Amino acid sequence: MRAHLNDILARRQLSALFQPIVHMQTGEIIAYEGLIRGPSDSPLHSPMNLFKAARANNLTVQVEHLCRKVVLERFAELDLPGKLFLNVSPESLLQRDARHGETLEVIHQIGINPERVIIELTENQPTYDYDLMRDAVLHYRKMGFQIAIDDLGEGFSSLRLWSELRPEYVKIDMHFIQGINHDPVKLQFVRSIQEIAEKSNTRVIAEGIETQAELLVLRDVGVAYGQGYHLGRPHPSPARTVPAEVAKALSRNGVAVYPQRAADKQGTICKLLHEVQAVPSSMNNNEVYEIFQRSPELLIIPVVDDGVPLGLISRFVMIEHFARPYERELYGKKSCRQFMDHNPLIADKSSSLQELSCRMAQADAHHLFNGFFITDQGRYLGMGTGHDLMREITQMQIHAARYANPLTQLPGNVPITEHIDRLLESGSRFWVCYFDLDHFKPFNDVYGYRRGDDVIQLTGNLLSSYCDPDRDFVGHIGGDDFMVLFQSEDWEQRCQSVLDEFGRTVLDFYSTDDRERGGYISEDRQGKKVFYSVMSLSIGAIRVEPRQYYTHHQIATAAAESKKQAKKIHGNSLFLDRRQQTQN
């Protein structure tokens, strides 16, 4: 294998592919990621196999240098626009004997401005030498390069890398991107990353976008850039513009339909409590180091005197210091306060998960890695981890996603209102349709609530089946009232299909005699016998133009008025209120 690798290096048997990175608002290709392939007839054709073999034969630096040279030369040869994301492993970056100026030499030789090149750190193996990493990154920055971190969320250390290196770009791992339009947990994760990125002046790139629905959700969340098969596959001679369907989707007004969640439920942090043996501040650093050595799984040791939390000692900080020349001799017998974080995050056991989550978001990033003290009126109880906190918040989001009308599982008033607000803010045209069942109450009185519930479920299912799940929002206001927020231009045809199928299927809920009579006898509110016709569905619709309405309250009022007009029409009916259009 080593001979094969040497042959590949000697004969430069590597080829470059490029995958576009797209601006999510404009659809412009702003950069390409350079990818590498080995010889097509070789087991090292796959980059994963190639770099694995290089590591096994101590040729990582040589292989990576050739990869970078091949990608840079091909990028220049194709005269591709925008920036180039150049993959570099931290392992290669940290080689003390590596010639860090070699990449710059190649760039100058072929005439590329270093400002167009982004060093993308691709983590093949975890690294804990963060000081050396920072030095190497600083070295590259001085040469004019920017930095990106690949696959954020895939490994735990990527969060610390972000905190330590402060990159200009972070790429979110495709696991959190694919299916985001159906998964409220993934949506919440990406929202959180986007929020952190905005505060740290970092631009986010979503990897692995494979569908238009994923693309539009990510655009609406505010993610700056995207990459994936839907936008363009890796290719030796990549396209310079996005596919027509992508350009059309990104240029179209409107908003994506988010997977729904409910209001957060309160919960305390007691469930996060881990009983971790604390050490006193009188213990010296050598003794703390020995504890870490005996317990490889232990990442943090709390320092507590007389029940009062003082600080936290990180395994990585301790090992990092002791790895330096003379540090152990100088500080080994001194108090463990020497390497302690003196400003730990401390939370009382009565604190809610939301409160702690907000504090964690506002605090320095290392607290997520180090964890936090849990106390009872200031007295040490134990520790909590950032991982556990994120897990519980995620579980709450899952619970929230399931919160909906208990009968139909469709989102209720709060999500409906939120979606209307997003539509208004987008400045796009949409249609609001208020659905209401006619003669539902007397049907309930005669046939019972169970049969009535079946009719409501039928209505919800019909609405969901005739709406575009990526463009049209179906909500259940309550009882027999539903609302659909259409962005589909053929909304009227969809409504008519619902009316037609409802008219056919609702008859199945009546007895044979009532179906033949076209209705049934029941008492009205005054106790009089009244003939009620078979249930029908009334739809009151309004068209919302940009800047026509400014609040969801105005829209709700107009839609309710339109519904009243629809209910005056006998049988299944659709009424479109055209008065606002005439006024405009």
Side-chain angles (χ1 to χ4, degrees):
M1 187 59 71
R2 185 178 179 85
H4 187 27
L5 277 170
N6 283 322
D7 186 52
I8 289 173
L9 291 170
R11 297 167 59 190
R12 290 174 54 108
Q13 292 180 307
L14 299 176
S15 56
L17 305 179
F18 298 91
Q19 185 172 30
I21 296 173
V22 176
H23 194 292
M24 299 287 266
Q25 299 299 324
T26 66
E28 175 191 6
I29 294 177
I30 58 96
Y32 294 85
E33 179 181 354
L35 304 167
I36 208 75
R37 296 292 184 270
S40 58
D41 57 348
S42 163
L44 301 185
H45 176 68
S46 158
M48 185 177 297
N49 293 341
L50 176 68
F51 293 122
K52 183 178 179 181
R55 281 196 304 276
N57 290 277
N58 296 318
L59 290 171
T60 298
V61 173
Q62 295 88 329
V63 170
E64 282 210 27
H65 280 170
L66 178 58
C67 289
R68 293 202 285 275
K69 191 170 185 178
V70 167
V71 168
L72 285 163
E73 289 176 349
R74 182 60 177 162
F75 182 76
E77 182 184 339
L78 292 171
D79 194 23
L80 291 172
K83 296 179 182 292
L84 171 65
F85 279 70
L86 195 62
N87 288 317
V88 177
S89 72
E91 183 183 3
S92 171
L93 207 64
L94 297 179
Q95 292 287 338
R96 295 183 184 272
D97 59 341
R99 293 180 56 211
H100 292 312
E102 186 167 318
T103 300
L104 190 61
E105 289 176 15
V106 175
I107 285 173
H108 285 319
Q109 287 170 8
I110 61 181
I112 297 177
N113 189 327
E115 292 181 358
R116 293 183 62 197
V117 178
I118 315 295
I119 300 297
E120 180 175 334
L121 297 178
T122 304
E123 188 176 11
N124 296 318
Q125 291 183 326
T127 177
Y128 299 111
D129 197 339
Y130 291 102
D131 278 345
L132 187 56
M133 178 73 76
R134 277 195 302 270
D135 291 343
V137 165
L138 181 62
H139 183 70
Y140 271 93
R141 280 204 172 106
K142 285 180 178 177
M143 291 190 287
F145 300 110
Q146 292 183 313
I147 303 298
I149 291 178
D150 191 23
D151 293 336
L152 184 75
E154 185 185 43
F156 187 73
S157 61
S158 60
L159 283 173
R160 182 169 178 187
L161 271 180
W162 188 358
S163 172
E164 295 275 1
L165 306 183
R166 306 297 169 94
E168 285 77 16
Y169 302 87
V170 293
K171 287 188 168 185
I172 303 180
D173 182 62
M174 66 176 63
H175 166 78
F176 298 96
I177 302 305
Q178 292 171 357
I180 191 173
N181 53 309
H182 299 302
D183 192 330
V185 178
K186 291 181 178 180
L187 176 63
Q188 183 59 38
F189 178 88
V190 173
R191 274 176 157 169
S192 300
I193 293 302
Q194 178 63 23
E195 186 177 344
I196 296 171
E198 288 171 359
K199 292 179 179 177
S200 59
N201 199 29
T202 302
R203 282 154 287 185
V204 173
I205 301 171
E207 292 187 292
I209 300 173
E210 294 192 349
T211 68
Q212 181 175 300
E214 293 166 356
L215 174 70
L216 296 179
V217 167
L218 291 161
R219 179 199 64 179
D220 287 4
V221 169
V223 170
Y225 306 122
Q227 182 178 355
Y229 284 178
H230 185 64
L231 306 176
R233 290 174 176 265
H235 196 274
S237 300
R240 293 164 188 258
T241 58
V242 296
E245 62 174 317
V246 172
K248 182 179 179 182
L250 290 176
S251 65
R252 186 174 60 203
N253 282 339
V255 300
V257 178
Y258 287 165
Q260 293 307 306
R261 69 185 194 283
D264 290 340
K265 303 297 181 183
Q266 290 291 321
T268 67
I269 64 172
C270 286
K271 61 177 69 177
L272 307 180
L273 180 66
H274 292 275
E275 294 183 1
V276 180
Q277 184 65 45
V279 301
S281 62
S282 58
M283 182 175 285
N284 66 41
N285 289 315
N286 282 332
E287 292 171 313
V288 172
Y289 183 77
E290 290 302 319
I291 294 174
F292 279 128
Q293 290 292 89
R294 290 196 302 270
S295 306
E297 75 287 351
L298 190 61
L299 298 177
I300 295 291
I301 293 178
V303 181
V304 177
D305 280 351
D306 298 323
V308 179
L310 299 181
L312 298 172
I313 302 173
S314 162
R315 164 185 288 274
F316 303 114
V317 170
M318 175 67 74
I319 293 175
E320 187 179 58
H321 276 286
F322 272 24
R324 296 174 184 173
Y326 311 117
E327 289 257 341
R328 186 163 188 175
E329 290 80 0
L330 287 171
Y331 303 113
K333 295 183 179 179
K334 292 188 176 181
S335 165
C336 61
R337 284 175 177 265
Q338 184 78 32
F339 302 140
M340 180 180 79
D341 175 7
H342 292 266
N343 297 297
L345 201 60
I346 301 175
D348 191 82
K349 66 176 185 179
S350 62
S351 301
S352 72
L353 291 165
Q354 287 76 22
E355 291 170 356
L356 182 57
S357 179
C358 290
R359 288 181 60 194
M360 186 72 79
Q362 294 166 2
D364 291 340
H366 72 273
H367 289 299
L368 182 64
F369 181 80
N370 286 348
F372 47 90
F373 281 104
I374 298 178
T375 60
D376 183 6
Q377 298 180 348
R379 308 291 293 177
Y380 174 70
L381 286 180
M383 294 291 300
T385 68
H387 178 271
D388 287 347
L389 176 62
M390 291 178 70
R391 185 197 66 233
E392 288 301 323
I393 293 294
T394 297
Q395 290 299 323
M396 287 169 55
Q397 294 301 333
I398 293 173
H399 177 78
R402 291 173 181 160
Y403 176 84
N405 185 285
L407 186 59
T408 61
Q409 292 298 300
L410 292 172
N413 289 312
V414 172
I416 293 171
T417 297
E418 288 175 348
H419 195 76
I420 291 175
D421 288 340
R422 289 180 58 223
L423 284 164
L424 290 174
E425 187 178 346
S426 74
S428 57
R429 173 193 294 171
F430 63 100
W431 290 265
V432 180
C433 292
Y434 196 145
F435 292 74
D436 188 21
L437 294 171
D438 305 316
H439 314 309
F440 178 72
K441 185 180 183 305
F443 175 86
N444 250 355
D445 294 340
V446 171
Y447 282 92
Y449 287 104
R450 185 178 294 275
R451 187 68 65 89
D453 287 350
D454 291 342
V455 174
I456 289 176
Q457 286 179 321
L458 164 70
T459 308
N461 291 337
L462 284 178
L463 296 181
S464 298
S465 64
Y466 282 103
C467 291
D468 183 340
D470 297 325
R471 302 199 69 205
D472 306 326
F473 184 99
V474 182
H476 189 172
I477 297 172
D480 60 328
D481 290 359
F482 296 82
M483 183 172 283
V484 179
L485 308 170
F486 282 105
Q487 293 181 84
S488 296
E489 297 286 340
D490 60 347
W491 68 275
E492 196 166 354
Q493 180 181 333
R494 293 173 185 270
C495 285
Q496 194 56 56
S497 297
V498 171
L499 293 176
D500 292 344
E501 186 161 348
F502 182 86
R504 291 192 299 270
T505 55
V506 75
L507 294 173
D508 297 338
F509 295 93
Y510 291 86
S511 66
T512 303
D513 292 342
D514 287 346
R515 280 203 298 270
E516 290 175 354
R517 281 195 297 265
Y520 53 93
I521 303 292
S522 183
E523 291 185 353
D524 64 11
R525 293 179 181 178
Q526 287 73 41
K528 296 179 181 178
K529 297 289 186 179
V530 177
F531 178 81
Y532 290 99
S533 58
V534 170
M535 264 187 298
S536 55
L537 189 58
S538 294
I539 309 173
I542 61 170
R543 185 171 78 175
V544 180
E545 297 287 352
R547 294 173 295 282
Q548 178 182 352
Y549 297 95
Y550 297 96
T551 70
H552 57 263
H553 299 292
Q554 293 174 322
I555 286 179
T557 300
E561 181 58 35
S562 184
K563 184 199 72 170
K564 288 181 184 177
Q565 298 301 321
K567 290 182 79 68
K568 294 177 182 179
I569 304 170
H570 180 71
N572 294 298
S573 60
L574 169 61
F575 177 83
L576 174 61
D577 191 343
R578 302 181 187 275
R579 290 174 294 177
Q580 286 285 344
Q581 294 170 227
T582 304
Q583 290 171 15
N584 283 333

